[in-house]
Amino acid sequence: MKSIPKYDFKSIEAKWQRYWDENSTFHAEIDHSKPKFYALVEFPYPSAAGLHVGHPRSYTALDVVARKRRLCGYNVLYPMGWDAFGLPTENFAMKNHIHPEVVTRDNVARFKSQLKALGLSFDWQREVNTTDPSYYKWTQWIFLQLYKHGLAYKKEMNVNWCTGCKVVLANEEVVNGKCERCGSEVVHKDKSQWMLKITAYADKLIDGLDGLDFIDRVVAQQKNWIGRSYGAEVNFSTTAGDTLTVYTTRCDTLFGATYMVVSPEHELVKKWLESGVIQNPDEVTAYQAEAARKSDFERTELNKDKTGVCLAGVRGINPVNEQEIPIFISDYVLASYGTGAIMAVPAHDTRDYAFAKKFGLPIVEVVKGQGESNLDKEAFTDVATGTLVNSGFITGLSVEEAKKKMVAWLTETGKGCEKVNYKLRDWVFSRQRYWGEPIPMISCEKCGWQPVPEDQLPLRLPDITDFEPGENGESPLARHTEWVNTTCPRCGGPAKRETDTMPQWAGSSWYFLRYMDPHNENALASKEAMDYWGPVDWYNGGMEHTTLHLLYSRFWHKFLYDIGVVPQPEPYAKRTSHGMILGLNPHSFVNLPAYEQAAMLKEYGSEKAATAALVEKYGEMAEHPVVKMSKSLGNVVNPDEIVAEYGADTMRLYEMFIGDFEKAAPWNTASIRGCKRFLERIWNLQGIVIDGDDYRKELVTPFHQTIKKVTGDIEAMKFNTAIAAMMGLLNQIADTGAITRREYRDLLIMLNPFAPHLTEELFELMGFESPITSQKWLSWDEAKCVESTIQIAVQVNGKVRTRLDVAADISAEDAIAAAKGDARVAAEIAGKNLVKELYVKGKLVNLVVK
RNA sequence: GCCGGUGUGGCGGAAUAGGCAGACGCACCGCACUCAAAAUGCGGCGGAGCAAUCCAUACCGGUUCAAGUCCGGUCACCGGCACCA
């Protein structure tokens, strides 16, 4: 055995990273001679905290796929960039008096060097940054197209208002009714906001999912979020003369409607208050005021206890039986869904039931189930088994039939129609913040809102130094009158710029298009580039982006498709998702040092009591041994330290080996050592290399099997088992005490996507055709994946009694005969009645006796 | 409440399509090497039993020659939505 130098990952990794940079190894250009493969991972928000060990899980996974696909002959585009606008940067800038642009530049530099240290095969020549004016020029351009097509509009909106920061918050910035940042109460306030009409695309966004290769949970969550429901609108006339239209999915229960409810904000209520038909206006306006003051949290948290006020002096008239029924206002009916008004059927809706019980309203049964139901206790809501009763012309029908007949009747009589509704709301697109794309609109007193002419884009952020939000929740830009005051593009008169900026979701809604042609000054990307590279073949990202980023970007892309800007209707052909990397909770009992555990057991008697004490001290979190990493728990793992101590290849391998890729997994620094050992053993194989252009006889099957396994597992994202298979192969090779050059070469190619630096170095050291990046991926021969002799199990009544070595192609008869010939088996079945004998090819023989 | 998912050794996790449960790794134990330790190599490692063998994939039941896997029910945990009519 030759003596070989130590595995010096530091110099090896630096060397190859430099080589890839200098040779632009991963730069992709349009090449029609090869099939293209566009792999995409979510670009990070470059925070001040730097890279988290969670980031590389997704990046390494698609890096493995990208590297393998390149060896398979694909022209691979694997880009990276920065989603750099956003509140944290602005807050950091305010606190430390550094311009957000500078903060962003520093953070990007740090992230970039951290990513480069991991040897990810990104095409850095296509790097994009959402805060770059040459990038946000096109974000603004897309906004203008949306505006010109009637999909962007300004509207007085009920928004979240933080009473502490005195600023408007996005829904995602409100956590349990409190401001995410300062913890103050969040209330509702009317404010004029730019909106994007994503609801116009609700159907397209649902229906478009059908042809896509998205994992099921993403599809389910998107559909759920859009929340399409099929029902009917029913027009109730009122004693005040107006028509009150309601939306219902249960028009079959119309005969059971015993009252109506409208939201406190409903415009008919305003009208009736003004005209004086309401006889208890004080009570009604008091309720309205209280509802407006309530936060979302209060509204939903108290949902068990229904409140409301009956409108005295006005009654609704049920169109099927001309019965007069009372009308209430209550905040359990939302202004923003359906028509903001409902017909209440307490017998068959749990919320209506609760309300009716509280206000002593009649409960009329119109659907009867087959089993027992008790309307004294609860509403009967089962649509599958119900039959209509007490319901005039639909009595006796099933719920489904009754719905159909009722819709027909409503349509015929003009008293209603079929109607589809969505939970999805239009997208509030304004932020009263500095660090975002300025919304390119100008307000003229004479001409109204006018778009900034496209040739004036990008509309740059003015260079200011004070980023505090204004008194009235206005953007900091509003104070900069020299920027705000401008001229109307239409009449040339004095006008003012919009001072709100776009939300962070804007820049990330189209970045994958920019990667295709990142330096284009005349279009967001050239037609040629989009024709060739689009759509993204494989997009991996976190589940937390399913309903916002993923939906928003599909919306923009579908819009761009409809106006002929992009050539494909969907942006992403395939979407997968990785599980989060978690940390150990230092406050959980099982993670305490042994001596502390012992002390606690002594003090509290049992683990359960000890945990209860820990919960008392640290909060509910103490019950969970594995939690999200957080600064406050001190369990954040810094990737830089891991790379410094173990090397990038080990880090990559561990990230892929840690567990099922789609599931969350706890980081365990101790386990990394196994991956390091594996790479060191690969390195040390140098000492036992022998000549040979083939696999040795006993390794033919293991090699073919492993190549097949690794190839399939990479595509199926089963990285952990791909690595396990290679570890198993290495164990088999090591058992022989030698490795042929051919075996070594192929082992390195297989391992290259996971450990690119080490394998490149060894390829060069061994004098193979370096670099690996110019080699071909391995193929396997199905016939050689099976050994000529195999071991089968022999069962008697399903229990294994012995194992036999037989020829792989043994016939069923011969296998069974061999099994019976075995002395132990023969003894077991002697004197018994043989009922059945089975041979499962390559697996086992089962003899059933009685 | 609704939708989706998960439950397998001390731990992370394997187990095409119903066919030998626990691959691969961590931790741990023993041995070798060493003055010693680390590193490395070899062996062991679900539970009970001297053993043959029996028990074991959250729990209860079913289908089957055969169930971690399929069916019915229960429990627990995770993620999303949540007064959406």
Side-chain angles (χ1 to χ4, degrees), chain A residues 249-371:
Chain A
T249 55
R250 292 295 305 277
C251 64
D252 56 301
T253 62
L254 193 47
F255 283 91
T258 54
Y259 64 100
M260 302 179 79
V261 188
V262 299
S263 67
E265 301 87 354
H266 200 278
E267 47 182 76
L268 271 184
V269 180
K270 275 180 212 154
K271 186 179 169 193
W272 290 337
L273 278 171
E274 280 163 19
S275 67
V277 287
I278 292 175
Q279 290 161 10
N280 55 344
D282 295 345
E283 210 185 336
V284 171
T285 46
Y287 187 83
Q288 284 178 317
E290 201 191 323
R293 198 191 47 80
K294 272 190 199 174
S295 64
D296 268 345
F297 184 62
E298 285 174 294
R299 272 198 175 195
T300 57
E301 205 48 20
L302 306 170
N303 68 30
K304 299 271 144 43
D305 192 23
K306 299 271 185 289
T307 59
V309 173
C310 185
L311 302 180
V314 197
R315 290 169 79 80
I317 299 165
N318 190 334
V320 282
N321 55 17
E322 301 297 324
Q323 214 174 63
E324 279 191 20
I325 52 177
I327 303 173
F328 287 77
I329 58 168
S330 171
D331 62 10
Y332 88 89
V333 171
L334 307 173
S336 50
Y337 185 76
T339 61
I342 62 159
M343 63 178 209
V345 185
H348 306 294
D349 181 282
T350 43
R351 296 150 306 185
D352 297 345
Y353 186 88
F355 191 88
K357 278 280 174 189
K358 179 161 178 186
F359 287 85
L361 295 157
I363 297 169
V364 175
E365 181 179 47
V366 290
V367 183
K368 224 183 173 68
Q370 283 154 358

Side-chain angles (χ1 to χ4, degrees), chain A residues 649-717:
Chain A
D649 281 336
T650 297
M651 164 95 175
R652 293 168 58 105
L653 201 69
Y654 178 62
E655 291 253 0
M656 295 297 94
F657 190 60
I658 190 167
D660 183 335
F661 183 70
E662 296 197 34
K663 287 190 209 143
W667 182 272
N668 182 352
T669 298
S671 291
I672 298 177
R673 302 177 52 193
C675 292
K676 180 76 185 293
R677 280 183 199 142
F678 171 66
L679 293 183
E680 279 170 347
R681 291 176 73 202
I682 295 280
W683 175 259
N684 291 334
L685 287 174
Q686 286 176 84
I688 56 168
V689 173
I690 56 173
D691 281 337
D693 299 333
D694 275 311
Y695 306 138
R696 281 161 296 159
K697 192 159 166 282
E698 67 271 35
L699 289 171
V700 170
T701 304
F703 260 93
H704 282 266
Q705 281 176 341
T706 309
I707 292 166
K708 180 182 174 181
K709 175 87 179 144
V710 172
T711 305
D713 280 357
I714 288 175
E715 293 295 326
M717 307 237 281

Side-chain angles (χ1 to χ4, degrees), chain A residues 802-814:
Chain A
T802 189
R803 294 183 172 83
L804 294 175
D805 289 319
V806 298
D809 56 358
I810 192 170
S811 68
E813 294 77 33
D814 291 350

Side-chain angles (χ1 to χ4, degrees), chain A residues 428-446:
Chain A
V428 183
F429 201 66
S430 299
R431 296 292 182 274
Q432 293 70 36
R433 289 291 168 184
Y434 173 74
W435 198 229
E437 302 88 346
I439 294 176
M441 296 297 293
I442 293 169
S443 172
C444 169
E445 270 185 35
K446 259 194 260 164

Side-chain angles (χ1 to χ4, degrees), chain A residues 29 68 79 112 156 254 348-349 415 469 477 526 552 632 766 775 843:
Chain A
E29 281 298 338
K68 185 229 152 200
K112 192 168 174 180
E156 193 73 15
L254 193 47
H348 306 294
D349 181 282
K415 289 176 175 169
L477 292 177
S526 74
Y552 291 156
S632 58
M766 296 307 299
Q775 297 305 304
K843 304 272 184 185

Side-chain angles (χ1 to χ4, degrees), chain A residues 96-122:
Chain A
N96 299 287
H97 306 289
I98 310 172
H99 196 281
E101 208 175 295
V102 177
V103 176
T104 298
R105 200 189 310 132
D106 291 350
N107 290 349
V108 163
R110 166 117 188 267
F111 262 74
K112 192 168 174 180
S113 77
Q114 286 182 304
L115 290 179
K116 285 207 166 186
L118 289 169
L120 298 162
S121 65
F122 292 127

